[in-house]
Amino acid sequence: MSAHFLLGIFDSIYLLALAAWTGEILFFSFAVAPIVFSTLGVETGERFVRALFPRYYAWGATAGAIALPAFIAGPLCYPEFRGPRIGVQAMLILGAILLTLYSGNSLTPAINAARDEGPSGDARFRRLHFRSVVLNVLVLVVGIGLLVAFANRPAPRTSGIIEPSPVERVQGQANAAHRAEPVDEGGERREPREDSPRLVDPKL
């Protein structure tokens, strides 16, 4: 299995997961949110959003969890892709995942609780809702930035790592063992003497 083939698999998984994550945010922010309350009404729209948000954030966190290892695995195939830039992008993905988990598991329930308090919770609701919007935009900017960085990644300069097949690995071990056999002065291989010292496993 060549490094080029492996990189193609990892890049495809990374790109699909990142596009699914970013596309979800774009679709909800610019297609669903502007019309949901005007179409369904305030009460029905709130019920719809409350039912949607757990799936919305779960989708994003799952896509990020798939994108992160696929992104890290790519540079393992080609040494020239390794470096600080990969670490920075990996940390951005991890940070976006954590923000998504925070928004879905902590911030959204707090927003719902503030909304349920009625007029007394309006100020808290507006503050938490604004924080949710800011974090959503931040994750979207990270996703778009990562897509742009992927599109501008240079092509590999080398053939990448060479991983031997199981058959090649067995043959290499056999050749190494053959070269390690004792040789006499005439250049012929000889069997080890019975009284020659042997290594003994101290655990036995």
Side-chain angles (χ1 to χ4, degrees), residues 62-88:
T62 302
I66 294 173
L68 181 58
F71 174 76
I72 295 175
L76 297 179
C77 302
Y78 287 88
E80 59 265 35
F81 286 158
R82 303 170 190 174
R85 181 176 60 87
I86 299 299
V88 171

Side-chain angles (χ1 to χ4, degrees), residues 46-69:
E46 286 184 353
R47 290 202 304 269
F48 172 77
V49 170
R50 289 194 180 194
L52 176 65
F53 268 1
R55 295 167 176 82
Y56 172 81
Y57 289 115
W59 176 280
T62 302
I66 294 173
L68 181 58

Side-chain angles (χ1 to χ4, degrees), residues 97-151:
I97 294 173
L98 294 177
L99 289 179
T100 301
L101 291 173
Y102 164 72
S103 297
N105 294 282
S106 179
L107 189 55
T108 297
I111 292 174
N112 294 337
R115 190 65 169 177
D116 293 339
E117 291 177 3
S120 61
D122 283 347
R124 181 166 174 261
F125 170 79
R126 286 193 297 269
R127 184 178 70 255
L128 294 177
H129 182 264
F130 177 75
R131 184 189 304 175
S132 174
V133 172
V134 170
L135 295 181
N136 198 59
V137 172
L138 182 58
V139 174
L140 176 61
V141 170
V142 170
I144 293 175
L146 291 170
L147 288 173
V148 173
F150 179 84

Side-chain angles (χ1 to χ4, degrees), residues 147-167:
L147 288 173
V148 173
F150 179 84
N152 289 276
R153 187 186 68 183
R157 300 188 306 270
T158 66
S159 58
I161 60 172
I162 300 176
E163 181 69 18
S165 66
V167 175

